[in-house]
């Protein structure tokens, strides 16, 4: 499992570079890229930080099927995880951040 960066969506803001705990993402020619996908820890910090949904997280077959990608939309009190399957179907999980740590 690792991330994928869509260069067509990336605007080179650097938010992903700032949050990557492994210092694995760099900006080149106004676009982010990962140094080596094999080094990715799978923490999804960059996925949540990307406001353009340019970074997706590939899921293993056990977590959603080969080729499925996970994206995040992080708003003030809501985090929406969007799962895109290879056949084009999508599923979403909405998390109310104000309620998420109450248990």
């Amino acid at each position: 499992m690792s991330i994928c960066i869509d260069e067509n969506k990336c605007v080179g803001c650097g938010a992903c570079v700032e949050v990557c705990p492994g210092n694995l993402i760099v900006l080149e020619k106004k676009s982010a890229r990962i140094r080596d996908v094999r080094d990715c820890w799978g923490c999804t910090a960059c996925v949540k930080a990307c406001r353009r949904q340019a970074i997706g997280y590939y899921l293993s077959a056990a977590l959603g099927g080969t080729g499925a990608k996970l994206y995040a939309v992080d708003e003030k009190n809501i985090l929406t995880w969007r799962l895109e399957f290879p056949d084009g179907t999508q599923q979403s999980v909405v998390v109310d951040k104000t309620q998420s740590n109450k248990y």
Side-chain angles (χ1 to χ4, degrees), residues 82-85 87-92:
R82 183 172 45 89
L83 185 60
E84 290 183 359
F85 294 95
D87 65 2
T89 60
Q90 296 183 10
Q91 290 182 355
S92 294

Side-chain angles (χ1 to χ4, degrees), residues 2-103:
S2 69
I3 64 166
C4 57
I5 301 173
D6 185 337
E7 294 178 9
N8 295 320
K9 291 182 180 179
C10 179
V11 295
C13 70
C16 56
V17 175
E18 295 294 320
V19 300
C20 179
N23 197 26
L24 302 174
I25 302 174
V26 294
L27 291 179
E28 288 183 354
K29 300 178 184 175
K30 298 183 181 180
S31 184
R33 77 166 184 82
I34 187 164
R35 295 176 200 264
D36 189 337
V37 295
R38 295 174 294 183
D39 293 334
C40 180
W41 303 352
C43 71
T44 70
C46 60
V47 176
K48 292 184 278 187
C50 184
R51 298 282 181 204
R52 305 279 299 184
Q53 295 182 10
I55 303 176
Y57 184 72
Y58 282 113
L59 297 176
S60 69
L63 297 174
T66 304
K69 293 180 194 169
L70 185 67
Y71 295 92
V73 178
D74 193 358
E75 299 170 329
K76 183 177 179 184
N77 291 322
I78 302 291
L79 177 63
T80 304
W81 290 100
R82 183 172 45 89
L83 185 60
E84 290 183 359
F85 294 95
D87 65 2
T89 60
Q90 296 183 10
Q91 290 182 355
S92 294
V93 175
V94 178
V95 178
D96 180 346
K97 293 191 284 189
T98 64
Q99 302 294 315
S100 63
N101 289 327
K102 288 194 171 188
Y103 304 100

